[in-house]
Amino acid sequence: MLTEELIDRMAEKCILNDEDFDAVVLDHRPKRIQTVNLHHLALASKSDDFAKTIEKADFITADGWPIVSLMRSRGIDPARVTGSEFVERMLAGRQFHGKKAAILGADRHVGHAFRGQLHDSGLHVVFREHGNRRDWKPKRLANRLIKSQVDLLIVAVTPPFGDMIGEQVRKAGFNGVVLNVGGAVNMATGNATMAPRWVRLTKIEWFYRLAQEPRRLFRRYFVECLPVFLKVILPSYWRRNRV
């Protein structure tokens, strides 16, 4: 359930900017980072298990201006920090050179292409799993990741399953960094379209994505997310601006 206490907990562990995000990933200590957008809050409002998954994350980011606004109502001022832009930085730079990575999810051909991109950026992909997610066993996955000495587990599965399997693998004993980037791997490999930078800056990325995939996203945006926006995001925005 989406509670005020959960939102307070999110604010306590919210990463404020891209530089801090990269530093947290590079830090060797075990952790799970969850990027949170409005859809995550909509899922949490319907599922106690998913709300607990958000609460159990070591860090969260504000992925989208509704979450940025919500976090500002709690007295912090985060930038919009997304998994897709993290993937862009990871592929463009060399700061993750030498790290051992694993890819969980995405189609096999997408994972193969992404593996090549990571290799070109200095990361070593030492484990990939692209099979049927119903067959994934958290303990088995954790043991294979530990055996491969994985530093960073990149989960390429949309919520709620992607975040929940990441938490289960961490709970099963994996001692690296867990990060769910959802569809960012598809974007990085050209199998999905990322919104242009000007669209992201003008805060209409949701409209751009809706125009790209109306059948898949209409229900998500207008049936699942809009009620949470009206009940949670807008009131927090008005309260903050009256202070």
Side-chain angles (χ1 to χ4, degrees):
M1 192 171 180
L2 184 57
T3 63
E4 293 294 316
E5 290 76 13
L6 175 59
I7 296 170
D8 289 341
R9 287 284 294 127
M10 288 168 53
E12 290 170 4
K13 53 192 177 183
C14 183
I15 296 172
L16 297 181
N17 53 56
D18 289 337
E19 292 76 16
D20 288 350
F21 190 1
D22 294 353
V24 168
V25 175
L26 285 167
D27 180 79
H28 67 277
R29 286 171 289 187
K31 64 185 72 71
R32 185 172 67 84
I33 308 165
Q34 184 161 341
T35 60
V36 177
N37 58 31
L38 186 58
H39 186 220
H40 288 85
L41 296 191
L43 292 169
S45 72
K46 301 292 186 182
S47 167
D48 287 345
D49 287 341
F50 191 67
K52 290 175 183 176
T53 299
I54 296 176
E55 186 173 5
K56 289 176 182 177
D58 298 287
F59 297 93
I60 69 105
T61 75
D63 183 352
W65 73 264
I67 311 303
V68 169
S69 179
L70 185 62
M71 293 296 96
R72 286 175 178 167
S73 75
R74 281 351 194 228
I76 62 172
D77 189 20
R80 178 176 180 266
V81 177
T82 72
S84 58
E85 291 179 356
F86 168 77
V87 169
E88 284 186 327
R89 295 193 304 278
M90 183 169 59
L91 296 178
R94 303 289 291 181
Q95 65 267 45
F96 298 97
H97 180 83
K99 290 285 185 181
K100 293 182 178 180
I103 306 168
L104 179 63
D107 291 335
R108 187 170 299 278
H109 74 280
V110 173
H112 180 76
F114 190 57
R115 176 185 180 276
Q117 291 176 307
L118 291 175
H119 177 78
D120 292 342
S121 300
L123 285 91
H124 305 295
V125 177
V126 296
F127 175 85
R128 288 194 291 151
E129 173 56 66
H130 307 294
N132 190 324
R133 68 188 191 183
R134 290 193 294 266
D135 297 330
W136 295 350
K137 306 298 181 186
K139 185 62 177 178
R140 185 185 305 166
L141 287 170
N143 288 341
R144 293 174 66 186
L145 293 167
I146 292 168
K147 184 177 180 180
S148 300
Q149 299 181 319
V150 170
D151 301 307
L152 172 62
L153 172 60
I154 301 167
V155 184
V157 183
T158 53
F161 186 84
D163 301 292
M164 296 178 78
I165 190 64
E167 176 60 30
Q168 291 165 10
V169 169
R170 197 258 300 257
K171 186 177 179 180
F174 174 58
N175 56 0
V177 178
V178 180
L179 173 62
N180 184 27
V181 298
V185 170
N186 283 331
M187 294 179 187
T189 56
N191 289 274
T193 304
M194 179 180 288
R197 183 168 179 78
W198 70 267
V199 171
R200 288 176 266 166
L201 291 174
T202 52
K203 301 178 181 179
I204 59 170
E205 185 175 0
W206 68 272
F207 184 77
Y208 178 88
R209 295 187 63 200
L210 179 63
Q212 298 289 315
E213 300 181 86
R215 288 187 177 181
R216 186 173 75 88
L217 295 178
F218 182 87
R219 177 178 175 80
R220 176 188 297 184
Y221 287 168
F222 292 101
V223 178
E224 298 175 9
C225 292
L226 184 58
V228 176
F229 181 82
L230 296 175
K231 293 177 183 178
V232 179
I233 304 299
L234 273 187
S236 70
Y237 177 81
W238 288 330
R239 286 195 300 269
R240 178 169 61 86
N241 282 276
R242 284 202 300 264
V243 174

